[in-house]
Amino acid sequence: MNRYLPVARQHFLAALASTSVVVKTISAVVVLLYLLSWAVDTPYALGVTPGYLFPPNFWVWTLVTHGVVEQHIWGVAANVGTVMACGRLLEPLWGALELLIFFAVVNVSAGLLAGLSYLLTYVATFDLDYLFAVRVNGAAGFLGGVLVALKQTMGDTTVLRVPQVRLKAAPALVLLLLALLRLSGLLDSAAPLAAYSFGALSGWVYLRFYQRHSRGRGDMSDHFAFASFFPEALQPAVGLLAGLVHAALVKIKVCRKMVKRYDVGAPSSITISLPGTDPQDAERRRQLALKALNERLKRVEDQSAWPSMDDEEDDDEDEVRTDTQPLLPGGRDPSGGAPSSGGVQHPESSIISFEDAPSRS
């Protein structure tokens, strides 16, 4: 085990060195606050406590800081690993500024919604522990948002081969794992489960309706619909319910109706608005098809042994030199004449007729 630690440390430092300033800053803050937690109760001061988040206390700064507060070393590893995964997989597509915006939106939304859910639970139960004994902190909220973003960008990537698990199933599987850990008592609080759920939801809402990019705003492709996060048997019912909720939000002007655009790529640059297509989804499928085709062609080329054209040309040149080489030395004319000037071989010298050759005395 000890011999693998230097290798792991070397790979970690190399990966961290190749990331942007945003990723390095967030990772450094996580480590510093973890070291500070040995002397100060950082989850109390910087984590979300539902009873202190809302008036009259109004500790709003905890909405920004709770995502970088960790109490355990495995929490630090998970937090830094999540941020570095964003730097390697999402930042090249979005840019550092968009990654920072996504980090802030997901963490603030997850903290606010988790605190609000505990406040409503207190209203239903009148148990003060839901207000003052709960601490919402750590990477669970941002992890949910990151897995949703990875489902959007590379959902068809295979994570496990046996059994086959694709990246698009990761958000639901992690949610199920956290629920099982909570039911088994391995998680002493439901705060990580609540933070993860609301982080995934807020990340999906931002990416679906509000993220700005070169094609406009949001991603209305079918593979990123809300129903796609559920098993296929439940997708029709979930899709109907999600459509009704979205229509209600559009009617009260909380969300706006999205128009999907399809660029036919014609010389006149005509853009047609269609209800069921999205350029991002079509481009993603086209790239996957091209990748599969290239791999298949490469396998065919490796199995086929084609002759080399260079070797054939070299053989032809050798054959031509052999045919044109004179049989008599010194460029002497076979009819007994004088040698040609400069030793230049005439084309006729390569043909010898023994019948016409002069007799020797």
Side-chain angles (χ1 to χ4, degrees):
M1 184 66 180
N2 292 332
R3 65 178 181 176
Y4 293 111
L5 291 178
V7 178
R9 178 175 176 273
Q10 182 179 2
H11 284 288
F12 173 77
L13 293 177
L16 186 62
S18 63
T19 56
S20 67
V21 178
V22 174
V23 175
K24 293 177 182 177
T25 302
I26 296 175
S27 302
V29 171
V30 172
V31 174
L32 290 177
L33 289 180
Y34 168 70
L35 297 177
L36 185 63
S37 66
W38 295 352
V40 181
D41 189 3
T42 52
Y44 172 78
L46 301 177
V48 172
T49 304
Y52 297 136
L53 178 61
F54 301 103
N57 298 292
F58 215 59
W59 289 9
V60 292
W61 66 85
T62 59
L63 294 176
V64 180
T65 58
H66 76 93
V68 293
V69 175
E70 297 288 351
Q71 279 186 298
H72 306 286
I73 188 63
W74 56 83
V76 175
N79 205 324
V80 175
T82 302
V83 176
M84 290 183 60
C86 287
R88 297 294 297 272
L89 301 176
L90 296 178
E91 188 177 10
L93 302 176
W94 294 352
L97 179 59
E98 180 61 30
L99 178 61
L100 182 61
I101 293 174
F102 182 73
F103 178 81
V105 168
V106 170
N107 279 305
V108 171
S109 301
L112 180 61
L113 293 175
L116 184 60
S117 67
Y118 277 106
L119 178 62
L120 295 178
T121 305
Y122 163 75
V123 172
T125 61
F126 293 100
D127 188 353
L128 288 176
D129 288 341
Y130 289 111
L131 290 182
F132 300 104
V134 173
R135 301 287 185 270
V136 180
N137 63 280
F142 188 55
L143 176 62
V146 169
L147 291 180
V148 169
L150 293 178
K151 168 184 165 54
Q152 178 197 29
T153 56
M154 51 185 67
D156 292 329
T157 303
T158 301
V159 180
L160 295 177
R161 296 191 178 276
V162 180
Q164 187 176 22
V165 177
R166 297 185 183 275
L167 193 56
K168 61 184 179 182
L173 291 178
V174 174
L175 178 63
L176 179 61
L177 176 62
L178 291 176
L180 292 177
L181 291 176
R182 176 55 182 163
L183 292 176
S184 62
L186 296 178
L187 283 180
D188 56 354
S189 173
L193 178 61
Y196 175 85
S197 303
F198 290 119
L201 178 62
S202 59
W204 176 80
V205 170
Y206 174 75
L207 296 174
R208 180 75 169 176
F209 301 105
Y210 298 106
Q211 186 186 40
R212 294 183 179 274
H213 44 73
S214 59
R215 298 175 304 278
R217 178 182 293 184
D219 179 9
M220 298 299 292
S221 56
D222 294 335
H223 82 281
F224 197 54
F226 185 74
S228 64
F229 290 87
F230 294 83
E232 294 184 0
L234 301 177
Q235 287 183 8
V238 175
L240 179 60
L241 181 61
L244 294 176
V245 173
H246 179 255
L249 294 176
V250 169
K251 188 168 293 186
I252 63 176
K253 300 186 182 303
V254 174
C255 294
R256 64 175 184 173
K257 188 175 182 179
M258 301 294 293
V259 178
K260 303 174 187 178
R261 306 177 68 84
Y262 178 71
D263 189 1
V264 298
S268 58
S269 300
I270 299 175
T271 301
I272 301 176
S273 297
L274 296 176
T277 56
D278 185 77
Q280 184 174 1
D281 192 21
E283 178 66 19
R284 184 178 65 89
R285 297 181 185 276
R286 188 179 71 85
Q287 293 294 338
L288 291 175
L290 288 176
K291 181 180 179 181
L293 179 61
N294 290 332
E295 292 178 354
R296 188 171 302 174
L297 291 176
K298 185 178 180 180
R299 288 196 296 267
V300 172
E301 291 176 356
D302 292 340
Q303 295 174 359
S304 302
W306 294 97
S308 176
M309 299 300 294
D310 295 335
D311 296 340
E312 291 183 358
E313 292 178 359
D314 294 340
D315 295 340
D316 293 341
E317 291 177 2
D318 294 340
E319 183 178 356
V320 170
R321 291 195 196 98
T322 304
D323 293 341
T324 59
Q325 185 176 3
L327 297 178
L328 296 180
R332 185 178 182 82
D333 190 280
S335 60
S340 60
S341 60
V344 178
Q345 177 67 40
H346 296 285
E348 294 83 5
S349 63
S350 63
I351 303 176
I352 300 177
S353 175
F354 292 95
E355 297 178 357
D356 297 334
S359 61
R360 293 181 180 272
S361 56

